[in-house]
């Protein structure tokens, strides 16, 4: 399991409400795809598996999570 310390710092500096959400989302990504690699792109955590897989972000009053390869995860 590859963990990027920059993502630890990102979660630590997020708003208090967002920290458990981000940590949980991170764990789910690693559980679903143990080969995933973490990185920071455009100032936010991204998860890479054969290219960009998904990303997460925290804002003042909400969190976001999105897939780049959603069609591979949820078929038509």
């Amino acid at each position: 399991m590859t963990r990027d310390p920059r993502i630890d710092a990102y979660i630590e500096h997020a708003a208090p409400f967002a920290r458990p959400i981000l940590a949980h989302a991170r764990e789910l990504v690693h559980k679903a795809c143990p080969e995933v690699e973490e990185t920071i792109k455009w100032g936010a955590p991204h998860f890479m598996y054969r290219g960009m897989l998904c990303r997460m972000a925290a804002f003042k009053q909400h969190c976001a999570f999105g897939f780049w390869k959603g069609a591979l995860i949820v078929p038509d």
Side-chain angles (χ1 to χ4, degrees):
M1 188 178 312
T2 304
R3 301 286 178 145
D4 188 326
R6 297 174 298 168
I7 295 180
D8 294 323
Y10 184 93
I11 293 171
E12 182 180 318
H13 289 98
F17 83 89
R19 292 177 197 150
I21 297 167
L22 297 173
H24 182 68
R26 183 186 198 187
E27 292 306 316
L28 289 176
V29 170
H30 280 278
K31 184 177 179 181
C33 184
E35 300 86 21
V36 76
E37 295 179 15
E38 298 181 339
T39 191
I40 297 285
K41 291 184 177 287
W42 304 289
H46 282 67
F47 300 92
M48 309 293 289
Y49 179 73
R50 298 180 183 172
M52 280 196 264
L53 175 65
C54 56
R55 58 104 176 98
M56 64 183 186
F59 303 94
K60 289 183 181 181
Q61 296 183 2
H62 71 281
C63 294
F65 189 91
F67 290 98
W68 258 263
K69 299 179 180 178
L72 296 175
I73 298 165
V74 180
D76 288 341

